[in-house]
Amino acid sequence: MKITAIRATPVRIPRPAKFTSNLGTHAASENAVVEIETDEGLVGIGESSSIWDRKGSGCADDINGLLAGLLIGKDPLQIRILTDLMDAHLDRAQPAKAGIEMALWDLLGKSVDAPVYQLLGGLVRDKVELSRSLSMGTVDEVLAQAEVLVADGYRTLKMKVGRNPASDAANLEALRARFPDLKLRVDANMGWRNPKEAVRHIHDLETHNIELVEQPLHPSDMEGLRFVREHVEVPIMADESVWTPEDAMACARAGAADVFNIYVAEAGGIGPAARIFGIADAARLTCIIGSMPEFGTGTSAQAHLAFAMPNIGYGSDVNGIVYHEDDVVDHSLQIEDGYLLPPTGPGLGVRLDPERLARYRMD
């Protein structure tokens, strides 16, 4: 089998409501849909998902302008070789490379009529507990969001913090008073300026029985993260600090985190994300899977990973699909009572809808 064409299409899909965090306010997601065609008629579908500055259009430019030319004519089943080739020619740009890499896994699964999780070693669980993020807002706004999500069966919610300490404390106090048994975690999105500031704010929040604190400092500040981890009781979760396997190794060596939040898009694909799980496992660390959020293809890639990796220790954000009004694929994902069920079908279990792709494309 040979690759005959690779095509990336930037797509913008609105969200039901604007979402605010320390990173800004988003009314839509702008990702890129990747299609890989072969000389045997099989087509693999992937997705480049990023909330960062280049978003879907930038990822599509990387794919259409450089990466496609590298890979056309190659064997799509040699996923590791092609991943290493992309890394050798394009530094970082992990979301763009991830879109191609997950499409290669989709092709491999379709070629052997097996779901990707089976190719990763098989099911290790029959359902995945999910978490949901709360948009920043007033106490009443945050409580209203939580009421809906708890009614839908969610047992873990993540509150965005890092802009206004008084507002953070008031919102968390109200959430804990209303939902005494709910698992609550907070995400600073790199919002605190230095380790001592982070420790001070975390001590204020710890009184409300929080589960985790995510990415309190800049991702490169390994020494600072270790300081925070050593001076608070609540586990520290690294997100932006563990994009790649190399990042994860540095974080583990520094003793900078208790938990890794792993993204298929940030890692550069399903394979690199699985390698981060392996590093965490060797370092006796547990993991979750995070969300950009993705559309159906990217969420499906995360789902296959979630059902094949043993060391997931908390609720995961494998539910990017719920943050959007629509999608460009039909997928096999099902959420019941706050849990994700295994995807079905060969490959990633998605099918591109040309009409919806045409409706939401940006180019």
Side-chain angles (χ1 to χ4, degrees):
M1 189 188 304
K2 301 294 181 185
I3 296 172
T4 57
I6 298 178
R7 179 170 56 257
T9 305
V11 169
R12 184 181 190 275
I13 298 180
R15 301 189 185 189
K18 292 181 180 180
F19 190 92
T20 300
S21 72
N22 199 45
L23 301 175
T25 298
H26 299 87
S29 293
E30 299 178 6
N31 300 335
V33 175
V34 180
E35 301 167 79
I36 299 181
E37 299 176 0
T38 68
D39 59 355
E40 294 187 9
L42 288 178
V43 178
I45 308 298
E47 180 185 324
S48 296
S49 309
S50 178
I51 62 171
W52 308 107
D53 54 352
R54 304 194 71 231
K55 299 185 180 178
S57 294
C59 291
D61 288 345
D62 287 336
I63 294 167
N64 295 327
L66 172 64
L67 298 176
L70 289 175
L71 304 186
I72 290 175
K74 300 292 195 298
D75 181 352
L77 306 187
Q78 294 181 316
I79 298 175
R80 182 57 190 265
I81 290 175
L82 299 188
T83 301
D84 289 347
L85 180 62
M86 289 191 289
D87 286 340
H89 284 80
L90 183 61
D91 187 40
R92 304 301 280 195
Q94 308 311 118
K97 292 182 281 189
I100 289 178
E101 198 260 12
M102 71 176 70
L104 296 174
W105 281 99
D106 188 43
L107 275 171
L108 175 58
K110 289 173 177 175
S111 72
V112 297
D113 195 29
V116 167
Y117 65 71
Q118 200 67 47
L119 306 177
L120 293 171
L123 288 173
V124 297
R125 57 183 57 84
D126 59 7
K127 59 183 179 180
V128 171
E129 183 180 352
L130 297 175
S131 67
R132 284 285 296 270
S133 294
L134 300 169
S135 176
M136 283 180 168
T138 66
V139 168
D140 288 343
E141 289 169 341
V142 170
L143 283 177
Q145 294 176 66
E147 291 278 3
V148 172
L149 297 176
V150 170
D152 285 342
Y154 286 91
R155 296 159 180 83
T156 301
L157 298 182
K158 178 165 69 177
M159 195 183 86
K160 298 291 187 175
V161 299
R163 281 189 177 182
N164 184 318
S167 176
D168 295 342
N171 284 334
L172 194 56
E173 182 178 9
L175 283 168
R176 180 52 70 208
R178 175 65 184 86
F179 305 105
D181 299 322
L182 189 67
K183 287 176 276 189
L184 289 170
R185 62 180 67 153
V186 299
D187 182 6
N189 286 120
M190 309 169 284
W192 291 314
R193 294 170 296 180
N194 58 66
K196 288 188 176 181
E197 180 183 271
V199 169
R200 184 169 68 253
H201 291 314
I202 292 170
H203 281 324
D204 291 339
L205 301 177
E206 279 181 321
T207 59
H208 302 297
N209 188 25
I210 53 176
E211 178 187 53
L212 299 165
V213 175
E214 183 173 349
Q215 201 63 48
L217 300 174
H218 188 277
S220 65
D221 191 0
M222 293 295 173
E223 184 178 349
L225 286 169
R226 179 173 181 171
F227 178 90
V228 173
R229 178 173 175 253
E230 291 176 343
H231 287 82
V232 300
E233 294 296 323
V234 64
I236 298 300
M237 181 161 66
D239 177 346
E240 287 85 0
S241 293
V242 290
W243 269 46
T244 67
E246 293 77 14
D247 295 339
M249 181 63 77
C251 192
R253 283 174 172 163
D258 301 286
V259 182
F260 286 172
N261 189 2
I262 302 172
Y263 293 69
V264 171
E266 291 181 351
I270 295 171
R275 293 198 289 278
I276 297 176
F277 269 98
I279 292 167
D281 197 27
R284 301 289 193 268
L285 301 176
T286 191
C287 304
I288 74 164
I289 295 178
S291 177
M292 279 297 178
E294 298 77 10
F295 305 147
T297 306
T299 305
S300 294
Q302 294 176 299
H304 286 274
L305 189 70
F307 280 100
M309 297 294 107
N311 54 324
I312 292 179
Y314 301 87
S316 287
D317 300 333
V318 193
N319 51 3
I321 51 173
V322 303
Y323 291 96
H324 303 104
E325 290 183 353
D326 200 359
D327 213 315
V328 292
V329 297
D330 296 315
H331 56 75
S332 60
L333 300 171
Q334 296 183 60
I335 296 173
E336 292 183 2
D337 194 30
Y339 287 90
L340 180 71
L341 303 183
T344 59
L348 295 177
V350 299
R351 184 176 66 255
L352 189 62
D353 184 329
E355 290 185 4
R356 284 186 286 172
L357 179 64
R359 183 185 314 156
Y360 295 113
R361 67 184 299 155
M362 298 172 61
D363 57 356

